[in-house]
Amino acid sequence: MTRPPGGTTAVVPLRDGVSGKSRLAAVLDAAARRRLVQVLARHVATTLRASAGVERVVVVTADPAFARATLDGLGVEVLEQPTDRPGLNGALEHAREVAGPGRLLVAHADLPALAPADVAAVLAQDAPVTIAADRYRSGTNLLALRPSARAFRFRFGAGSLAAHLVEAAAHGLEAAVVHRPGTAVDLDTADDWAQLPGAVRAAVSRDVPGLM
Ligand SMILES: Nc1nc2c(ncn2[C@@H]2O[C@H](COP(=O)(O)OP(=O)(O)OP(=O)(O)O)[C@@H](O)[C@H]2O)c(=O)[nH]1
Ligand SMILES: C=C(OP(=O)(O)O)C(=O)O
């Protein structure tokens, strides 16, 4: 936990404004889900821009117009996901190639409680692979790779915490797992919403009319 973070490219995968947050469809209409995706993405982008050691923030998406409209003025780069690199892992591998060989931090765009201190805690780890787990200790909400982890491949999807630990071990890479309130909740379900601190819910609700 001693090395300064320095020179990290943060990569944020972002879907379009239509297909995401499907698990909230029973409680939020399409317009509110789109607004929620935008509010959360702006929060994550702003947090990363304010985080020490993060040099660039690159948002990778199949819908650059939506990403630009959402993140205008925040100082992020928008990178189009090629059609021959489908899905979340394809998008991230493409962004990683574009970012080059330095340090990489993947952060999901739906982390309402993420704060610069959480980013700092992840970047402070010495391990070549650092994972901030979700509250079920099943998913991966942030993933930091040092340059020595170049053989590591993304395994986002169901059960990705375990899959990422297996992937690290397969390449002989030490992995650190971080558990923090600010990284534990990605907002996918009504139950996730209930887990968030009141102040975070109040802030999101102000910007998303009709939210639970
Ligand atoms: N560029 C890109 N980003 C994706 C893709 N799939 C998911 N994401 C992003 O990856 C992060 C995690 O997404 P998930 O929580 O799995 O999915 P979601 O978009 O919230 O939607 P649901 O699964 O419908 O609840 C979010 O920031 C998404 O916007 C993809 O195919 N391409
Ligand atoms: C894609 C993932 O997250 P989610 O639970 O948001 O689908 C993941 O944890 O790898």
Side-chain angles (χ1 to χ4, degrees), residues 12-16 19-24 37 60-62 81 86-89 91 107-110 186-188:
V12 180
L14 182 64
R15 265 199 230 256
D16 55 47
S19 64
K21 296 291 153 243
S22 58
R23 287 167 276 181
L24 288 170
V37 167
V60 60
T61 180
Q81 169 175 4
L88 177 53
N89 291 308
H108 285 184
D110 58 355
D186 51 325
L187 182 43
D188 288 323

Side-chain angles (χ1 to χ4, degrees), residues 131 140 143 152 154-156 160-168:
I131 297 164
T140 304
L143 173 65
F152 183 96
F154 299 119
R155 306 286 179 211
F156 284 95
S160 67
L161 171 58
H164 283 142
L165 292 175
V166 167
E167 176 67 13

Side-chain angles (χ1 to χ4, degrees), residues 13-210:
L14 182 64
R15 265 199 230 256
D16 55 47
V18 182
S19 64
K21 296 291 153 243
S22 58
R23 287 167 276 181
L24 288 170
V27 288
L28 280 184
D29 67 22
R33 292 201 305 279
R34 178 186 166 92
R35 183 76 194 128
L36 178 63
V37 167
Q38 293 186 299
V39 166
L40 297 179
R42 285 185 69 83
H43 170 73
V44 169
T46 304
T47 302
L48 291 167
R49 290 288 290 149
S51 295
V54 173
E55 217 163 65
R56 302 167 66 188
V57 178
V58 176
V59 174
V60 60
T61 180
D63 189 348
F66 173 69
R68 286 199 190 93
T70 298
L71 301 166
D72 184 44
L74 297 185
V76 307
E77 300 164 52
V78 173
L79 176 67
E80 182 162 8
Q81 169 175 4
T83 48
D84 64 350
R85 308 294 284 275
L88 177 53
N89 291 308
L92 292 173
E93 290 297 354
H94 177 66
R96 183 186 194 176
E97 284 166 23
V98 170
R103 194 157 188 216
L104 201 77
L105 173 69
V106 175
H108 285 184
D110 58 355
L111 304 173
L114 187 69
D118 300 310
V119 176
V122 168
L123 294 181
Q125 302 296 317
D126 277 329
V129 177
T130 300
I131 297 164
D134 70 2
R135 67 193 170 97
Y136 300 107
R137 300 184 181 227
S138 160
T140 304
N141 283 340
L142 279 86
L143 173 65
L145 298 177
R146 289 192 177 275
S148 58
R150 72 188 64 79
F152 183 96
R153 289 291 164 268
F154 299 119
R155 306 286 179 211
F156 284 95
S160 67
L161 171 58
H164 283 142
L165 292 175
V166 167
E167 176 67 13
H171 299 290
L173 297 165
E174 191 197 332
V177 182
V178 169
H179 302 282
R180 294 176 60 93
T183 58
V185 180
D186 51 325
L187 182 43
D188 288 323
T189 64
D191 192 51
D192 294 330
W193 177 249
Q195 297 298 320
L196 289 166
V200 172
R201 277 188 282 158
V204 178
S205 300
R206 263 196 302 275
D207 291 328
V208 187

